[in-house]
Amino acid sequence: VREAMNRLPDQDRLILSMRAIEDMSYQEIGDALQLQPGTVKSRISRARGALRAILTGKTELSGKRHV
């Protein structure tokens, strides 16, 4: 999982780490990144999808944001 996380774009890796590793709430992440909680939720969802795709071998990330 750590290797797959390292393959994510920096912003995706950061927001997933804040939620999963640092156990921050959506509001706390939003405050830290100056985002609305709804935006945080959607970005986490997209980042999880990208991570899932890497882990299942369904995509190769090349610095492009996949949605």
Side-chain angles (χ1 to χ4, degrees):
V1 172
R2 188 178 316 249
E3 182 180 318
M5 286 280 290
N6 287 334
R7 293 175 56 196
L8 290 171
D10 292 341
Q11 195 132 10
D12 288 352
R13 185 171 50 251
L14 173 64
I15 206 162
L16 283 179
S17 295
M18 292 173 90
R19 181 71 177 150
I21 297 169
E22 297 178 33
D23 200 31
M24 294 173 72
S25 70
Y26 295 121
Q27 184 65 52
E28 291 170 326
I29 295 168
D31 290 346
L33 300 178
Q34 299 180 344
L35 299 170
Q36 294 295 316
T39 302
V40 171
K41 289 178 185 180
S42 67
R43 288 189 184 183
I44 288 173
S45 178
R46 283 196 309 260
R48 284 178 177 157
L51 182 61
R52 185 177 309 108
I54 291 169
L55 290 170
T56 60
K58 294 186 178 182
T59 189
E60 288 292 321
L61 292 180
S62 59
K64 295 181 183 175
R65 175 169 283 287
H66 294 275
V67 285

